[in-house]
Amino acid sequence: MNINSTVICGFQALNDLSYLLQGKEKALLVTDKNIEGIPAVQTLIAQLQQQIASLSIVNTVPPEPSQHDVAAIVAALPSTDVDLVIGVGGGSVLDVAKLLSILCVDGAPTLDALLAGEKPQTRTTSLLIPTTAGTGSEATPNAILAIPEKETKVGIISPVMLPDYVALVPELTTSMPPHIASSTGIDALCHLIECFTATVSNPVSDNYALIGMKKLFASLETTIAEPDNLEARLNMLWASYYGGASIAHAGTHLVHAMSYPLGGKYHLPHGVANAILLAPCMRFVRPAAVSKFAQAYDLLPDADTSLDDEAKSHALVAYFAALVKRLKLPASLEELGIGPDHLPYLVEAALDVQRLMKNVPMKVGADDVRNVYLTLFPALNH
């Protein structure tokens, strides 16, 4: 899969978009109310209003949107006749913007048809601007929607959704609260390490994953300690972008398969669900990925390169567990009010995500999944 997006990046990269907007007369800006209030976004909106005759704004994208939310947004659009869709926000906003770039084309498949597997052929011009450094949605061919009736999430996947333009602008991410910066950062880390160790990994995805992990390990905790450090913020935006590019060329596996039911049924934020599962899942797959884990470990700023690969692989898992703790993210399901009586449902629902389970670098059965979930109930482990 080729990612042909043009990426513009850096401080104030949005100050002059006139070259992107030439010839565009009707634009749709997709965001949410919180993001819309960020001063830099207000400046962007003013610039768009100056240069584009007709600008519609959708600011109702909820966190973890369902297919019903997207259907309601489409129904409320004053017109689907637009020649530019701009998404400004976190992964949910960008996923909806990607879908709208397809749904706003004459003769496009309906949302129901896309969910049923019909492949789109074309989309309108799109520009995606992430305000969190986590999902990498701006570099993936995926749009993830919650399906409340089935208490799960599904991905609509097509390279057609990859945008024409991406803007990585660090000042747009400084308003993220620390817990959002932490959980979205761990989401990016999961993309990178899972794609790096997946059965479908390849030299292209590995290259993206290694570059992304190096940037993430160097910058994630700095962005929490120094919220206005724009260099660290830009590094995290790139780490997130490389995580998305890794997904576009490979695919995630166990963490994401096991986190989907946590988001679908219990509405845990995606990054939080991933953070809880990161160390336990990586501990499970480690024996099948020792050399890859050792390569990732060597990217840590304080890596002890004298260790052998086996020791490095264990040290990487220990680092993941300690990182989640340092970021003050939950480490168990019990502290989130989910009890062990939910285990049978969780195991069945995770195994159902075959699209991702087939990427795990070792054989995974129901007992394995159950044992990983069990580690998230410390009271049972004493």
Side-chain angles (χ1 to χ4, degrees), residues 17-27 51-54 82-84 124-125 165:
L17 289 180
S18 53
Y19 61 100
L20 292 188
L21 303 176
Q22 279 170 352
K24 305 296 181 200
E25 294 179 0
K26 298 174 181 174
Q51 291 185 249
I52 291 178
S54 165
V82 297
D83 48 22
L84 176 66
T124 193
T125 304
Y165 305 102

Side-chain angles (χ1 to χ4, degrees), residues 1-3 135-141 162 191-192 195 202 204-209 238-251:
M1 180 179 302
N2 291 321
I3 300 179
T135 67
S137 175
E138 67 280 1
T140 75
L162 288 163
H191 297 158
L192 293 160
C195 290
N202 55 74
V204 176
S205 62
D206 283 0
N207 191 37
Y208 285 136
W238 273 114
S240 175
Y241 181 87
Y242 282 123
S246 300
I247 291 173
H249 290 89

Side-chain angles (χ1 to χ4, degrees), residues 28-322:
L28 176 64
L29 179 79
V30 184
T31 187
D32 66 36
K33 287 191 173 66
N34 289 334
I35 300 299
E36 192 182 12
I38 295 173
V41 176
Q42 286 290 310
T43 304
L44 169 66
I45 291 170
Q47 185 188 160
L48 293 170
Q49 285 169 332
Q50 264 184 327
Q51 291 185 249
I52 291 178
S54 165
L55 177 69
S56 304
I57 298 177
V58 168
N59 61 7
T60 53
V61 179
E64 321 278 335
S66 72
Q67 87 270 37
H68 306 301
D69 296 319
V70 176
I73 287 168
V74 173
L77 287 177
S79 164
T80 55
D81 176 20
V82 297
D83 48 22
L84 176 66
V85 172
I86 304 163
V88 187
S92 295
V93 165
L94 299 188
D95 281 6
V96 171
K98 288 194 288 192
L99 287 170
L100 290 174
S101 74
I102 284 171
L103 296 168
C104 284
V105 171
D106 272 350
T110 62
L111 181 59
D112 285 342
L114 291 173
L115 283 164
E118 189 176 331
K119 295 300 180 190
Q121 301 304 312
T122 184
R123 60 162 167 73
T124 193
T125 304
S126 62
L127 161 65
L128 298 183
I129 308 169
T131 59
T132 62
T135 67
S137 175
E138 67 280 1
T140 75
N142 309 353
I144 308 299
L145 292 181
I147 307 295
E149 294 80 0
K150 296 184 179 171
E151 298 182 327
T152 189
K153 294 179 170 185
V154 300
I156 295 170
I157 302 168
S158 166
V160 172
M161 284 195 286
L162 288 163
D164 297 276
Y165 305 102
V166 172
L168 303 179
V169 187
E171 63 269 28
L172 283 186
T173 68
T174 56
S175 60
M176 266 192 294
H179 71 280
I180 301 288
S182 298
S183 63
T184 54
I186 293 292
D187 188 23
L189 175 54
C190 290
H191 297 158
L192 293 160
I193 191 67
E194 285 181 273
C195 290
F196 189 52
T197 54
T199 54
V200 286
S201 70
N202 55 74
V204 176
S205 62
D206 283 0
N207 191 37
Y208 285 136
L210 288 165
I211 297 170
M213 282 190 282
K214 188 172 174 64
K215 288 181 179 296
L216 186 143
F217 292 149
S219 304
L220 174 54
E221 292 185 87
T222 307
T223 63
I224 310 300
E226 306 167 26
D228 294 320
N229 184 323
L230 292 181
E231 185 183 356
R233 292 276 178 188
L234 186 56
N235 270 333
M236 279 305 299
L237 279 166
W238 273 114
S240 175
Y241 181 87
Y242 282 123
S246 300
I247 291 173
H249 290 89
T252 56
H253 55 81
L254 194 59
V255 175
H256 274 72
M258 292 181 63
S259 79
Y260 271 6
L262 293 174
K265 185 177 175 74
Y266 309 101
H267 308 298
L268 284 193
H270 180 62
V272 172
N274 284 350
I276 292 172
L277 285 158
L278 173 61
C281 286
M282 291 301 125
R283 195 172 289 117
F284 172 75
V285 302
R286 185 204 63 79
V290 170
S291 67
K292 285 274 181 97
F293 272 33
Q295 277 180 273
Y297 171 80
D298 283 340
L299 300 172
L300 294 172
D302 57 352
D304 177 357
T305 51
S306 69
L307 299 174
D308 65 15
D309 281 7
E310 183 75 13
K312 285 177 181 177
S313 70
H314 283 288
L316 183 71
V317 175
Y319 168 83
F320 289 154

